[in-house]
Amino acid sequence: MSAASRDNGRGRAARLFAHRFRQNRWMLAAGVAAVLGVFLALPQWPWVVACVIAALFVVAALAPSRTADQRRVEAEEVSNSGGLIGLSSENLAAAVTDPLIVFDGAGAVVHANAAATAAFGALHPGILLLLKFRAPEMQEIIQAVLFGHATARQTDYSERVPIERVFRVTVSAVGRGTGFYVMVFKDQSETRRIDRMRADFIANASHELRTPLASISGFVETLRGPARDDAKARDQFLQIMQNQTARMARLIDDLLSLSRLEMKPFLKPGATVDLRGVVESVIDSLTPLAKDSGVVIERDFADDIPAVLGDRDELFQVFENLVENACKYGQTGGRVIVSMVGPETNAEKETTVTIRDFGPGIPEEHIPRVTERFYRIDGELSRTQKGTGLGLAIVKHILTRHKAHLTIRSKLGDGAAFTVHFPSE
């Protein structure tokens, strides 16, 4: 046992003795008084017996008594003696959900928790961190701490294989003079992805608004100048300005719809909706548009279509977007088929609605991204068809709120099929 441990033991014993003395001081006083009384009143020989009795009083007074106060004092002593020091460092590291690596003064791994192993592969004791992490920023912070240039350093570290990840890395010394250091990785990938999405969204929205504004501004300038007295040009320019204004209005409406949906993504609708009625209403409202595009909308509905939980207006918006897109972008096929299948005749026990067109189809590499905001396969065609680039993003958000999902199947030259899946309640 070390000298420090013996000193700590003596200190605890002294404090516990003092506590017991204070707790039993009245009993001690009574014992001493009894001994004095017997000594003064009796002949010489009985005082030996009195001394024995007094000694018993002292022993009884100082004997451990399991009172609440004593248990509290003992608990405090255990806590003050450094109970955390007894905990296993491996258990502490395992309790950290972020990747954590402990290394020594030579830069060799001493311990890595499960999160670090899952993130960076095997990190056996003895592996040199400078060989494991070769990025310049990682080399710099490890060396700075090892060589005593700083007690703690922080940097950003990114990996692109197997997937792109970004970490905020902190390296610091463990205590003072221990010779050990700890490296903690805080995953920033999701935060960076959201920041990038926000920046892309602002850039795309600004671009989409700037184009019609520039067009309107140019025509206003022309009407005030060279075309001031040209009635034919004036009518033509005013028509173009009206179209551009309508385009901006559609874009703003879609942005507002998307914003409202993002504010309530987890609020599950509680009303019951007649799905067949919603889809039939959409088809009836878009029949004139389909006729103008040279498209015939065909219906193929099963008999077992149940009602679903949902918001009627939002579901109308979903199928309006899908059927309208099929009519616009698949018009070369001449027809669009809207089919509905209930859970009784569906292998997945789901209610599904499929909008199938026979147009040029969607290249396979674009399918995973068509629901992203402002993503366009053919930007010029989309603008010609008065698209805002937000329709399928709105569809995805609405379906997520309804616990439903969208699947897309397509083959170049053979059209595309968009299927909405509603889970059985």
Side-chain angles (χ1 to χ4, degrees):
M1 181 181 297
S2 65
S5 298
R6 288 195 296 272
D7 291 342
N8 287 337
R10 294 192 192 100
R12 287 195 295 273
R15 288 191 292 272
L16 188 59
F17 180 86
H19 170 73
R20 290 172 180 165
F21 181 85
R22 290 193 300 271
Q23 186 181 31
N24 301 295
R25 59 185 180 276
W26 297 112
M27 187 181 295
L28 288 172
V32 172
V35 170
L36 291 176
V38 172
F39 180 76
L40 296 175
L42 297 178
Q44 185 175 4
W45 68 267
W47 76 270
V48 178
V49 177
C51 288
V52 173
I53 295 173
L56 292 176
F57 268 107
V58 173
V59 172
L62 296 180
S65 58
R66 299 300 295 168
T67 64
D69 287 342
Q70 182 178 342
R71 286 194 294 271
R72 177 179 59 79
V73 171
E74 290 175 349
E76 290 177 355
E77 292 298 329
V78 172
S79 176
N80 293 334
S81 68
L84 286 176
I85 297 176
L87 292 178
S88 168
S89 58
E90 293 186 4
N91 290 338
L92 290 174
V96 179
T97 56
D98 295 320
L100 181 149
I101 301 171
V102 179
F103 59 99
D104 59 21
V109 173
V110 174
H111 176 73
N113 67 359
T117 302
F120 307 112
L123 287 165
H124 302 297
I127 293 178
L128 293 177
L129 288 179
L130 291 174
L131 297 179
K132 179 68 176 178
F133 299 101
R134 297 178 178 274
E137 61 272 17
M138 294 292 287
Q139 299 268 323
E140 180 182 350
I141 64 169
I142 293 172
Q143 292 177 0
V145 174
L146 289 178
F147 297 152
H149 301 315
T151 57
R153 292 289 294 269
Q154 194 173 74
T155 190
D156 290 331
Y157 170 64
S158 60
E159 287 190 340
R160 300 188 181 278
V161 179
I163 59 173
E164 184 175 359
R165 296 178 298 177
V166 179
F167 296 94
R168 175 63 55 85
V169 185
T170 302
V171 180
S172 57
V174 178
R176 293 184 178 179
T178 62
F180 292 101
Y181 306 86
V182 65
M183 178 184 293
V184 181
F185 297 78
K186 189 73 175 178
D187 197 338
Q188 303 287 306
S189 304
E190 184 65 14
T191 302
R192 294 294 181 89
R193 187 183 69 83
I194 292 173
D195 289 343
R196 187 163 55 247
M197 285 179 59
R198 184 183 297 112
D200 291 344
F201 176 75
I202 293 173
N204 288 327
S206 301
H207 173 75
E208 293 296 327
L209 288 171
R210 186 184 298 113
T211 301
L213 279 174
S215 176
I216 292 172
S217 176
F219 286 122
V220 168
E221 185 177 347
T222 303
L223 288 173
R224 295 180 64 184
R228 180 185 303 230
D229 300 322
D230 189 339
K232 184 178 179 180
R234 183 169 59 246
D235 291 341
Q236 180 184 1
F237 292 164
L238 288 174
Q239 180 62 51
I240 296 173
M241 291 168 64
Q242 184 178 3
N243 293 339
Q244 295 297 331
T245 303
R247 177 183 169 188
M248 284 193 296
R250 289 194 302 272
L251 178 60
I252 291 171
D253 288 342
D254 283 351
L255 287 171
L256 291 174
S257 295
L258 197 56
S259 178
R260 284 192 296 267
L261 290 169
E262 288 180 336
M263 292 176 65
K264 52 179 182 180
F266 304 110
L267 182 61
K268 187 177 180 180
T272 301
V273 179
D274 177 11
L275 191 59
R276 178 194 290 267
V278 171
V279 176
E280 288 182 339
S281 297
V282 169
I283 294 174
D284 291 340
S285 67
L286 291 177
T287 297
L289 172 67
K291 186 176 180 181
D292 292 341
S293 301
V295 175
V296 176
I297 302 177
E298 302 175 8
R299 311 182 193 203
D300 181 17
F301 298 165
D303 296 329
D304 60 337
I305 307 302
V308 297
L309 288 177
D311 183 293
R312 189 184 189 283
D313 292 338
E314 290 184 0
L315 291 180
F316 188 95
Q317 189 175 8
V318 165
F319 295 110
E320 183 181 42
N321 267 297
L322 294 177
V323 176
E324 185 177 355
N325 283 349
C327 293
K328 288 179 177 179
Y329 302 109
Q331 63 181 358
T332 56
R335 66 187 180 123
V336 170
I337 301 176
V338 181
S339 58
M340 302 181 67
V341 178
E344 298 300 324
T345 56
N346 191 324
E348 287 76 22
K349 301 302 180 184
E350 298 175 325
T351 299
T352 62
V353 182
T354 301
I355 294 87
R356 169 89 160 87
D357 68 67
F358 296 86
I362 303 172
E364 185 177 355
E365 65 271 18
H366 293 289
I367 291 177
R369 300 193 60 190
V370 294
T371 56
E372 294 180 11
R373 304 170 188 179
F374 296 112
Y375 187 83
R376 291 186 172 96
I377 300 172
D378 185 338
E380 188 60 34
L381 176 61
S382 177
R383 293 186 181 91
T384 302
Q385 297 294 347
K386 301 179 181 180
T388 62
L390 294 172
L392 290 180
I394 292 173
V395 166
K396 181 180 177 181
H397 276 76
I398 293 176
L399 293 181
T400 299
R401 198 169 87 84
H402 284 72
K403 307 302 180 185
H405 66 280
L406 178 71
T407 59
I408 305 171
R409 291 179 292 106
S410 182
K411 185 178 179 181
L412 279 178
D414 195 29
F418 291 76
T419 302
V420 177
H421 303 256
F422 291 94
S424 299
E425 296 298 331

